[in-house]
Amino acid sequence: MRPTLMDAAAAAGRAAEAHIASGCTICRRGARLAELCPDGQRAVTEAAHQITPHLMDPPCAHTSWEVTSERDTPAGWVKHRRCADCRDRLEPITEPEPHWPQNTAHALQLPAAVRTDSAPPGPARLAALMRSRQHWRDGRLVSEGTLSQAEIRNALGWGEPEQVHGITWEPGRMDRVREAVRVITAGPSAFPDLTDEWVIRTARVLLPELLELVELLHARVADLEAHGCRCYDPTSHAPGCIKAYVRWQGRTYPAAVWYRDGDGDWWAPVSVDSRGCLVLLLNGDTSNEPVPLDRADEEHGPVTATAYGAHVPRGDLPELISETADA
């Protein structure tokens, strides 16, 4: 009979019990996997893996892919892809150059390649670095996603990140909070000793610890907002952010400026959809429905980028020419 998920869970539970019985002072019975010490997590994972192999394996990251077919379109070469590791089909991409060598004669004349080490830092240098990791395998061009964080920072011209200490929270520290929530949720019918006095006394004990956690989270959020790029926020992108520009159907669109349609209305970029198309909000108002760029072009005329940055408030943007003339 083929092992099931329940068999793996039972084996993991037995491994946890054996680990605790061996004298571990950190792990406790009934703890979650993340609350166990590293040795306990390793013992539980290995026990479950022996029962059901690949149960704990993460999904394929699709770091390398192959082109199965391609066609030439006005927007570029549309390439249908397949993962070189798990063989799953991936979303097609559009690139200016062809994939197959025999199609090179039909491709547009491209400018000479720029050396990665001499190109100025920015998205173009990162793109050149990614192209340099492509190679031929069995007559097919394969892209390997093997860029390290240091290489990406160097290509974009970013400095070394500052040492940021994360929030340390010992395993089992929230046990008293979970127990109090469980008792209060069950009610007096299950716990006759659940009185107002007990609730007040318990809250006085737990409140300082919860307030300390809130302060740690607040400090962590403030640190991330100070150092990270708040993409598609009313503030502009950080210098060198690869999301500051969106590539869609062979064209590059800035993602940190206001757009204007044929009727003179203003649109603010907020995100990209699953196709990679820029998504806009009319007047930047979140009560409106987000509209993809291609649909806005079709329904409201050509939508073009302006010189006004995304950090400019909507009230500081000029109104329609007709409204200005009437005034």
Side-chain angles (χ1 to χ4, degrees), residues 5-191:
L5 184 62
M6 293 300 297
D7 298 330
R14 291 192 296 268
E17 291 288 341
H19 173 73
I20 296 173
S22 65
C24 181
T25 59
I26 299 178
C27 301
R28 60 174 182 81
R29 289 179 173 82
R32 303 176 182 177
L33 179 62
E35 297 173 342
L36 299 177
C37 69
D39 293 337
Q41 294 182 9
R42 189 180 306 107
V44 170
T45 303
E46 291 177 355
H49 184 76
Q50 292 177 359
I51 301 299
T52 55
H54 309 298
L55 175 66
M56 308 298 291
D57 291 345
C60 180
H62 305 314
T63 56
S64 61
W65 47 266
E66 307 172 342
V67 175
T68 57
S69 62
E70 67 178 356
R71 55 190 176 87
D72 190 11
T73 66
W77 290 84
V78 179
K79 303 175 182 180
H80 298 272
R81 306 179 298 158
R82 179 176 59 190
C83 180
D85 299 317
C86 67
R87 316 306 292 174
D88 286 346
R89 293 191 176 275
L90 307 179
E91 291 291 332
I93 61 173
T94 303
E95 294 181 339
E97 65 275 2
H99 171 76
W100 308 107
Q102 58 268 26
N103 293 332
T104 305
H106 305 288
L108 298 176
Q109 185 66 29
L110 298 177
V114 179
R115 290 179 55 86
T116 303
D117 55 358
S118 60
R125 181 169 176 176
L126 177 60
L129 177 62
M130 296 175 66
R131 286 195 299 269
S132 68
R133 298 301 169 89
Q134 294 179 340
H135 66 274
W136 289 92
R137 178 191 297 171
D138 299 330
R140 296 180 178 179
L141 186 63
V142 179
S143 297
E144 297 285 357
T146 55
L147 297 180
S148 66
Q149 293 185 7
E151 290 175 319
I152 295 176
R153 289 195 302 268
N154 180 65
L156 295 176
W158 294 352
E160 289 294 329
E162 298 181 6
Q163 181 65 27
V164 179
H165 299 284
I167 298 176
T168 57
W169 203 253
E170 299 176 0
R173 190 172 178 181
M174 295 294 292
D175 289 346
R176 291 185 299 174
V177 178
R178 296 193 187 97
E179 182 65 18
V181 172
R182 186 178 70 88
V183 171
I184 295 175
T185 303
S189 59
F191 296 92

Side-chain angles (χ1 to χ4, degrees), residues 75 246-253 273 275-278 293-294:
V246 175
R247 188 74 177 174
W248 170 249
Q249 293 185 345
R251 295 183 59 188
T252 300
Y253 298 90
D273 59 15
R275 304 172 300 161
C277 180
L278 195 64
L293 178 65
D294 53 357

